[in-house]
Amino acid sequence: MATKPAKKAAPVKKAGRPSKYTEAIASEICSRIAEGQTLRSICRDEHMPGFGTVYRWIEGDEAFSARIARARDIGYDAIAEDAMAIADTPLIGEEVEIQQGKEKVKRGDMVTHRRLQVETRLKLLAKWSPKKYGDKITQEHTGAGGESLSFQVVFGK
């Protein structure tokens, strides 16, 4: 009896859309994060993949994940420098006050607005990179006169 030739298995197609991952896109994402931009704002650009897609790339590719981590460290410094620039640069604006039914326009430095921008950046930096930008809190336990603590354990009577 003759045997039938084995059928070739059809290639397995992946579900969903094909990945947009390219080295150029990955490099642009890392470069822009290193400039202090957020991943969410980068992903809003038309030519960029979605936020969730980039996170899947980070989870699935150790090398890309390490590049993102390095870019974020550099980006934190860029955000800190941005906070300093905001604090050092007056921003002239208008504030409208209504008194007795009349509008009064007051021009001047928008100190409160700038303070909010700086504080927001610094608080985020403290959360994102606490070792570098967080408040340093130390606790020391010493006995009387600065001597080391001693303990005595007593068992039964």
Side-chain angles (χ1 to χ4, degrees), residues 104-156:
K104 181 180 178 184
V105 178
K106 188 171 136 183
R107 288 185 51 81
D109 186 9
M110 306 293 285
V111 176
T112 307
H113 178 70
R114 290 189 302 123
R115 184 179 299 126
L116 175 64
Q117 289 179 310
V118 169
E119 286 179 5
T120 301
R121 284 162 175 77
L122 295 180
K123 285 180 182 179
L124 285 172
L125 287 172
K127 295 286 184 190
W128 292 338
S129 184
K131 287 182 181 176
K132 189 169 186 177
Y133 293 104
D135 294 330
K136 184 176 181 179
I137 299 172
T138 60
Q139 293 182 355
E140 294 182 23
H141 300 281
T142 58
E147 297 174 12
S148 63
L149 292 173
S150 61
F151 297 93
Q152 182 177 12
V153 179
V154 177
F155 293 102

Side-chain angles (χ1 to χ4, degrees), residues 2 9 12 17 23 29 39-41 45 51 60 68 75 77 81 84 92 97 125 127 130 141 148 152 156:
V12 178
R17 292 183 285 165
E23 184 55 37
I29 290 170
L39 181 58
R40 199 168 287 281
S41 69
D45 287 359
F51 184 76
I68 290 286
D77 291 340
E81 290 172 10
M84 287 178 58
I92 305 302
E97 292 179 4
L125 287 172
K127 295 286 184 190
H141 300 281
S148 63
Q152 182 177 12

Side-chain angles (χ1 to χ4, degrees), residues 73-109:
D73 284 340
I74 296 166
Y76 296 154
D77 291 340
I79 292 169
E81 290 172 10
D82 187 36
M84 287 178 58
I86 292 167
D88 292 342
T89 308
L91 177 65
I92 305 302
E94 293 182 351
E95 192 175 310
V96 179
E97 292 179 4
I98 299 176
Q99 294 176 347
Q100 299 172 349
K102 293 183 180 182
E103 284 187 3
K104 181 180 178 184
V105 178
K106 188 171 136 183
R107 288 185 51 81
D109 186 9

